[in-house]
């Protein structure tokens, strides 16, 4: 059960658009803040927040079906 959940989560992240996935990884895996990600990506802070919010929403929506 746990292995299946981990595999499904990886699949969800892999299915994100590149622009959302890279920001999600920097925030969730690397532990970077919005401002740091914005500096690295050369993006406005609002764009980083929006992309991360969409990525999180997509993953959360997919996780609903796992219950």
């Amino acid at each position: 059960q746990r292995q299946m959940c981990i595999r499904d989560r990886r699949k969800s992240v892999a299915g994100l658009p590149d622009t959302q996935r890279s920001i999600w990884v920097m925030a969730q895996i690397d532990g970077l803040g919005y401002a740091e990600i914005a500096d690295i990506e050369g993006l406005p802070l609002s764009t980083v927040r929006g992309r991360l919010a969409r990525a999180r929403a997509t993953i959360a929506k997919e996780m609903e079906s796992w219950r």
Side-chain angles (χ1 to χ4, degrees), residues 1 5 11 28 30 34 36-37 43-44 48 50 63 66:
Q1 179 74 14
C5 190
K11 187 177 177 182
Q28 300 300 127
D30 299 333
Y34 296 124
E36 292 171 299
I37 296 169
L43 296 169
V48 170
M63 287 175 67
W66 301 345

Side-chain angles (χ1 to χ4, degrees), residues 45-59:
L45 193 56
S46 59
T47 301
V48 170
R49 286 185 175 145
R51 289 181 183 175
L52 186 54
R54 283 190 295 279
R56 287 176 173 160
T58 298
I59 293 169

Side-chain angles (χ1 to χ4, degrees), residues 2-19:
R2 179 180 161 93
Q3 289 297 327
M4 199 165 74
C5 190
I6 291 170
R7 185 184 62 229
D8 289 343
R9 191 173 313 154
R10 286 181 181 160
K11 187 177 177 182
S12 294
V13 172
L16 292 171
D18 291 340
T19 55

Side-chain angles (χ1 to χ4, degrees), residues 1 12 29 57 61 67:
Q1 179 74 14
S12 294
I29 305 298
K61 186 174 181 179
R67 294 180 182 170

